[in-house]
């Protein structure tokens, strides 16, 4: 009788809390055990090269003599000398017009491409979410551009956009839309447009796939109730669909934004040596391997990492993005 009296609701709650804490600790421990190999691989293939790149950006390293690098501080980023006339001459990455041109090209490419791909991806996802015959086949076919490797699609479009034998010029000439052949990837006026067209063609299916996954999570009975109440489809979209898929949409945008900020292969294949489309990744690669300015290229790579990290953190903070699929 005394033992039963001791088992009050408070003691039972404490016991259950202790059991729950032990179970939670075991789950956390098991999660870290399973994640340890992945974290180790990431540290080796990503963390260590990143630290080495940051280190080389503060040295005078060259591609032919990495071991003989000497520490030079922030010289690769910004340095200056004062001439006898009193004029101050700045040098380094932050004083390089080519670098800031690459930054502007990258940001412009990212803003335009992600905006267009999000809009088109949303339209495609809404169409694929509807019921119609052959929907599964259409869903599979729409992913073909995204499934093609970027190098392959870039080379394919390079042939199509060629001013001498490209099929695009022949089609536009036949339709009377242009009066003469255009060098789409070589002309300063059309190079960025050509790159954007190819990127939108290739990556819109990726955005559509992620947005479609969010649409699949919306309960169908909500739309049925809206239809019975006679609510206009546009109002249903703005007041119901868009708020419900917002978490998935924000995550899709940040994934695509990360890709576009570090765009390299598409630019390098379509418009090599073109200042109008040179991005931060292309400029860093040129200095690292082509111009034999390894330390300068390492500084560009480090700045690229810092810019991407800053933009991503700000986007996640102000956009209230939770990578688990919800909102903060």
């Amino acid at each position: 009788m005394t033992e039963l009296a001791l088992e009050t609701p408070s003691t039972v709650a404490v016991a259950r809390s202790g059991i729950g804490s032990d179970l939670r600790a075991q789950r956390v421990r098991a999660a870290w055990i399973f994640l340890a190999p992945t974290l180790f691989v990431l540290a080796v293939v990503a963390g260590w090269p990143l630290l080495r790149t940051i280190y080389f950006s503060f040295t005078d390293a060259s591609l032919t003599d990495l071991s003989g690098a000497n520490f030079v501080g922030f010289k690769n980023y910004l340095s200056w000398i004062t001439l006898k006339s009193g004029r101050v001459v700045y040098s380094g990455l932050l004083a390089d017009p080519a670098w800031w041109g690459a930054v502007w090209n990258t940001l412009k490419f990212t803003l335009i491409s992600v905006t267009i791909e999000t809009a088109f991806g949303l339209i495609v996802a809404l169409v694929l979410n509807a019921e119609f015959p052959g929907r599964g086949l259409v869903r599979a076919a729409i992913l073909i551009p995204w499934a093609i490797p970027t190098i392959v699609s870039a080379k394919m479009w390079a042939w199509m956009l060629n001013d001498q034998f490209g099929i695009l010029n022949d089609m536009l000439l036949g339709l009377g839309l242009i009066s003469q052949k255009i060098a789409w990837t070589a002309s300063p006026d059309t190079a960025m447009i050509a790159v954007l067209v190819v990127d939108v063609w290739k990556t819109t299916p990726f955005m559509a796939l992620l947005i479609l996954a969010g649409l699949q999570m919306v309960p169908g009975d909500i739309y049925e109730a809206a239809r019975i109440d006679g609510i206009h489809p546009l109002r249903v979209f703005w007041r119901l669909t868009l708020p419900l898929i917002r978490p998935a949409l924000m995550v899709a945008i940040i994934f695509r934004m990360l890709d576009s900020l570090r765009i390299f292969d598409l630019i390098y294949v379509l418009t090599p040596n073109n200042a109008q489309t040179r991005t931060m990744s292309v400029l860093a690669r040129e200095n690292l391997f082509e111009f034999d300015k390894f330390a300068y290229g390492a500084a560009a790579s480090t700045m690229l990492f810092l810019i991407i990290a800053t933009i991503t953190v700000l986007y996640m903070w102000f956009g209230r993005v939770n990578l688990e699929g919800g909102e903060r």
Side-chain angles (χ1 to χ4, degrees):
M1 188 70 177
T2 305
E3 293 180 357
L4 292 175
L6 291 175
E7 293 183 1
T8 62
S10 60
T11 57
V12 173
V14 170
R16 289 179 177 176
S17 176
I19 295 174
S21 299
D22 292 340
L23 182 60
R24 190 178 303 109
Q26 290 178 4
R27 289 178 175 176
V28 171
R29 189 162 50 249
W32 278 110
I33 292 174
F34 284 114
L35 284 174
T38 301
L39 294 176
F40 174 76
V41 172
L42 284 176
V44 172
V45 303
W48 176 243
L50 174 62
L51 293 177
R52 290 281 288 175
T53 300
I54 296 174
Y55 164 74
F56 282 129
S57 70
F58 294 102
T59 68
D60 60 354
S62 65
L63 190 60
T64 56
D65 188 20
L66 294 178
S67 59
N70 298 310
F71 185 79
V72 296
F74 289 91
K75 184 178 179 181
N76 291 313
Y77 294 95
L78 184 64
S79 62
W80 60 87
I81 58 173
T82 303
L83 303 179
K84 293 182 180 180
S85 61
R87 177 170 170 249
V88 180
V89 179
Y90 294 92
S91 61
L93 187 70
L94 299 180
D96 188 354
W99 164 251
W100 291 112
V103 172
W104 167 244
N105 289 337
T106 306
L107 295 179
K108 180 172 65 173
F109 172 83
T110 299
L111 179 62
I112 298 175
S113 65
V114 174
T115 301
I116 296 175
E117 288 159 9
T118 302
F120 285 177
L122 182 58
I123 295 172
V124 172
L126 289 171
V127 172
L128 295 180
N129 193 47
E131 294 285 348
F132 59 88
R135 184 176 64 169
L137 181 62
V138 175
R139 285 182 176 180
I142 204 72
L143 293 176
I144 292 177
W146 178 57
I148 298 175
T150 304
I151 296 296
V152 176
S153 59
K155 199 63 180 176
M156 177 181 68
W157 274 93
W159 291 333
M160 294 171 61
L161 293 169
N162 187 274
D163 57 327
Q164 298 298 322
F165 53 81
I167 188 175
L168 185 61
N169 276 321
D170 288 339
M171 292 175 58
L172 294 178
L173 284 172
L175 294 173
L177 297 178
I178 59 176
S179 58
Q180 59 183 0
K181 293 184 176 181
I182 300 175
W184 297 97
T185 59
S187 173
D189 298 328
T190 58
M192 181 60 77
I193 297 176
V195 171
L196 285 169
V197 168
V198 178
D199 190 73
V200 169
W201 172 83
K202 176 172 175 54
T203 318
T204 295
F206 171 75
M207 295 295 289
L209 181 64
L210 295 183
I211 297 172
L212 179 61
L215 288 171
Q216 295 290 300
M217 301 299 294
V218 179
D221 53 358
I222 298 179
Y223 294 110
E224 183 65 22
R227 187 183 64 81
I228 294 174
D229 291 340
I231 302 176
H232 195 276
L234 285 179
R235 190 177 180 186
V236 172
F237 171 75
W238 288 109
R239 296 296 183 89
L240 183 65
T241 303
L242 204 56
L244 289 176
I245 67 171
R246 180 182 179 275
L249 187 63
M250 298 296 282
V251 171
I253 291 174
I254 195 172
F255 283 166
R256 180 63 201 117
M257 186 174 64
L258 289 174
D259 273 343
S260 59
L261 284 171
R262 53 187 177 84
I263 184 71
F264 169 79
D265 41 10
L266 186 64
I267 303 289
Y268 192 75
V269 173
L270 275 179
T271 57
N273 303 318
N274 192 326
Q276 305 300 321
T277 59
R278 182 181 291 114
T279 60
M280 292 185 284
S281 295
V282 174
L283 185 139
R285 192 263 179 194
E286 288 176 346
N287 284 280
L288 281 168
F289 303 112
E290 293 182 11
F291 301 158
D292 196 22
K293 299 167 66 177
F294 190 85
Y296 196 82
S301 300
T302 303
M303 285 300 300
L304 170 61
F305 167 75
L306 292 177
I307 290 173
I308 292 178
T310 301
I311 292 176
T312 303
V313 170
L314 291 176
Y315 175 84
M316 293 177 63
W317 179 261
F318 289 108
R320 300 174 60 83
V321 178
N322 185 341
L323 292 181
E324 294 179 356
E327 297 185 39
R328 292 191 290 110

